[in-house]
């Protein structure tokens, strides 16, 4: 009764009903059709009028064939998201009817929805000049995103083949890495939301996101990030000292200023590192949310996600040289359950020992095993020993096969995987030797002696010549301390055999010595992105600064005056004086680039020199 007695809504309409207009258009009379297009394109169109049109369009989708593509495009450009709830509901109903009746318009509909995955841009013009172009800080942006996902789910419900048409569009609309942090953050967040209700796309979406993150990562070498942080800290210190010289601040004002400085300290000084930090934080949150249901680890969900992430790791991360941060998604998911960490190590082990894999992939797998065993706190000693047993047994078998005959000489091209495995073993021992010997020293030493490092070090393939000098130095010092093997005779012989490379250039001759012939790196070097490192740090094994006693033990048998200085977190000690400077293990960027003395927070003579 109420509905019948209520008066109809007042709306301004021209040209009759929609079906009449479209029939006239088919007969060649375009006047009313043009008038309709003009009305729909009017930015001041009222909600009530729009609802009426959409209602008629819902009933007339049979007429909206390929020939009326222009009209459909106008409908898809309507600013429906920022209208009343009634308009939104009517529009969602129209979308569902349209794609179910005319699948020819599926792609344009998907493109329209995906284009809303980023905050709109607000451009302010003054005298025909753009004076502002920034992200819209609309309070309703979260609600708008929710509505977009409802729209996508509606379309997918009516058209089962939606995922295969959607994926290329998601790739096409991915913002360029130089877009604002907010734009990238919203788009990646929305992509990950899509995986929840379109699970068949999860692997492809994770590949897409991680590929973009990888491009950001390799575009921002760790040295550039550290330099930017150091410059920002120096600049902040200068500003603070200038202010203190000019003004006698009240104590409470000082405290207020400190709070502001602490808040801004979350940002990375390097703009691309800031984007990477935000996106890595989102990825870590996604992994945690998928794997945990009601705060408890869901084994089934975790295994499924682990398989997808390992697939992405094999396809994108493993073939990429010297990425710094993105690979930590594997580190993070493996921390949830020991079984995952062991599965990851087993996966890398199979890559390493398979002769059918390219040598560079096998070498990288070796780097990952060594770095993972050394840095992951959640890996117990029993697993470390099991992995060392596998690696060392493989090395001994390799020596059995290769240490005599035509190829029994030091050559990275021939024996790359062997040297990479040696370095992984040495690196693991450097970080884990205290734990291996903890509790029962005699039993621990007996285990280390059973590994027969002497045979590996003394073999014709000469791994000490190829491995990074900083690793060799620490390995030599530790094995000498526990009388496992004496490496210094071989190290000194190798030093005499190093032939410097002389390169002529405009600035004169440059003498270089190749100290990283493997071109190896340690994938789990210290993580330095400020926001996302909070997720990693609690499970990360930093290099423990050498105590005075340890330094004395390592220095006593060795005279000063060395040939190689290395900059890495375990040589200079993990003692940064501020958050912006964090030590890293030796890698292809850092080897021989700086000496420990020149590094902030480096204890003098902390490195172990070769004996004369």
């Amino acid at each position: 009764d109420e509905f019948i007695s209520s008066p109809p809504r007042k709306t301004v309409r021209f040209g009759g009903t929609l079906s009449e207009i479209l029939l006239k258009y088919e007969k060649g009379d375009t006047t009313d059709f043009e008038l309709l297009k003009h009305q729909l394109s009017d930015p001041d169109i009222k909600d009530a009028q729009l609802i009426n049109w959409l209602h008629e369009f819902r009933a007339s989708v049979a007429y909206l064939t390929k020939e009326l593509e222009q009209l459909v495009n106008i409908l898809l450009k309507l600013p429906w998201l920022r209208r009343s709830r009634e308009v939104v509901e009517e529009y969602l109903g129209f979308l569902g009817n349209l794609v179910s009746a005319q699948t020819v318009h599926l792609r344009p509909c998907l493109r329209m929805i995906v284009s809303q995955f980023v905050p709109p841009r607000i451009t302010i013009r003054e005298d025909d000049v753009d004076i502002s172009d920034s992200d819209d800080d609309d309070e309703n942006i979260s609600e708008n995103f929710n509505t977009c996902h409802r729209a996508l789910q509606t379309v997918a419900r009516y058209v089962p083949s939606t995922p295969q048409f959607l994926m290329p569009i998601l790739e096409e609309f991915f913002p360029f890495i130089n877009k604002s942090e907010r734009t990238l953050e919203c788009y990646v967040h929305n992509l990950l939301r899509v995986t929840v209700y379109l699970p068949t796309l999860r692997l492809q979406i994770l590949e897409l996101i991680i590929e973009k993150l990888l491009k950001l990562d390799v575009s921002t070498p760790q040295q550039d990030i550290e330099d930017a942080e150091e410059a920002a800290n120096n600049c902040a210190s200068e500003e603070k000292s200038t202010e203190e010289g000019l003004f006698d601040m009240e104590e409470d004002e000082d405290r207020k200023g400190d709070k502001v400085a602490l808040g801004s300290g979350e940002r990375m000084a390097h703009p691309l590192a800031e984007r990477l930090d935000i996106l890595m934080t989102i990825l870590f949150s996604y992994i945690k949310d998928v794997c945990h249901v009601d705060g408890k680890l869901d084994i089934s969900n975790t295994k499924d996600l682990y398989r997808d992430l390992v697939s992405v790791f094999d396809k994108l991360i493993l073939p990429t040289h010297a990425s710094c941060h993105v690979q930590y998604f594997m580190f993070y998911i493996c921390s949830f359950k020991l079984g995952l960490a062991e599965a990851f190590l087993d996966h890398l082990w199979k890559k390493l020992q398979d002769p059918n894999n390219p040598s560079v992939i096998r070498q990288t797998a070796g780097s990952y095993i060594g770095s993972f065993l050394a840095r992951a706190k959640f890996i117990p000693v029993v697993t470390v020993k099991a992995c060392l047993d596998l690696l060392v047994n493989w090395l001994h078998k390799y020596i059995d096969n290769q240490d005599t005959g035509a190829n029994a000489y030091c050559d990275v091209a021939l024996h790359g995987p062997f040297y990479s495995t040696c370095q992984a073993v040495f690196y693991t021992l450097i970080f884990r030797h205290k734990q291996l010997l903890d509790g029962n020293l005699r039993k621990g030493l007996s285990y280390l002696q059973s590994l027969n490092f002497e045979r590996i070090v003394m073999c014709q393939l000469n791994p000490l010549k190829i491995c990074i000098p900083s690793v060799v130095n620490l390995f030599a010092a530790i094995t000498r301390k526990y009388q496992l093997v004496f490496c210094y005779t071989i190290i000194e012989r190798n030093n005499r055999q190093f032939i410097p490379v002389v390169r002529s250039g405009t600035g004169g001759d440059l003498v270089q010595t190749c100290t990283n012939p493997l071109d190896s790196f340690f994938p789990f070097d210290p993580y330095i992105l400020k926001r996302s490192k909070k997720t990693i740090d609690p499970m990360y094994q930093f290099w423990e600064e050498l105590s005075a006693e340890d330094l004395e033990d390592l220095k006593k048998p060795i005279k000063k005056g060395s040939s190689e200085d290395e900059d890495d977190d375990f040589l200079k000690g993990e003692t940064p004086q501020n958050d912006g400077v964090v030590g890293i293990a030796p890698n292809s960027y850092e080897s021989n680039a700086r000496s420990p003395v020149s590094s902030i927070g480096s204890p003098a003579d902390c490195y172990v020199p070769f004996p004369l």
Side-chain angles (χ1 to χ4, degrees), residues 2-42:
E2 208 174 296
F3 174 75
I4 293 168
S5 62
S6 62
R9 295 181 191 178
K10 291 183 179 179
T11 56
V12 181
R13 289 287 301 268
F14 304 100
T17 64
L18 179 64
S19 54
E20 290 170 0
I21 294 169
L22 296 178
L23 285 170
K24 284 182 185 178
Y25 178 73
E26 283 181 9
K27 294 174 182 176
D29 184 355
T30 61
T31 309
D32 289 346
F33 185 76
E34 292 300 324
L35 195 59
L36 170 64
K37 286 187 345 188
H38 180 73
Q39 281 189 56
L40 291 172
S41 303
D42 183 3

Side-chain angles (χ1 to χ4, degrees), residues 202-328:
R202 184 167 75 181
L203 177 58
Q204 290 170 271
I205 287 175
L206 286 171
E207 267 184 30
L208 173 62
I209 291 170
I210 289 168
E211 182 186 9
K212 300 295 181 182
L213 290 179
L214 209 48
K215 285 180 181 175
L216 265 176
D217 201 5
V218 297
S219 301
T220 51
Q222 205 152 354
Q223 187 60 53
D224 290 1
I225 297 173
E226 288 178 339
D227 290 346
E229 288 298 318
E230 188 176 348
N233 288 334
N234 291 340
C235 185
S237 300
E238 286 172 16
E239 285 178 8
K240 190 175 180 183
S241 61
T242 306
E243 283 177 8
E244 285 173 356
L246 290 173
F247 305 106
D248 185 18
M249 295 277 189
E250 293 292 331
E251 193 176 341
D252 59 342
E253 288 295 315
D254 278 340
R255 285 177 187 162
K256 212 180 288 181
D258 288 344
K259 284 178 185 174
V260 173
L262 285 170
S264 61
E266 283 287 298
R267 285 186 68 86
M268 300 295 297
H270 195 295
L272 293 183
E274 172 68 7
R275 289 164 176 76
L276 183 61
D277 194 10
I278 290 168
L279 298 184
M280 287 300 294
T281 304
I282 292 171
L283 183 59
F284 288 153
S285 298
Y286 172 78
I287 291 170
K288 183 179 180 182
D289 289 347
V290 170
C291 295
H292 293 81
V293 177
D294 298 327
K296 293 181 180 178
L297 187 70
D298 185 292
I299 301 299
S300 177
N301 289 355
T302 306
K303 282 182 179 177
D304 289 344
L305 181 60
Y306 169 82
R307 289 188 195 100
D308 284 347
L309 290 177
V310 164
S311 175
V312 177
F313 176 83
D314 285 349
K315 184 175 180 180
L316 298 175
I317 304 293
L318 208 53
T320 303
H321 179 68
S323 58
C324 299
H325 299 99
V326 179
Q327 58 266 26
Y328 270 89

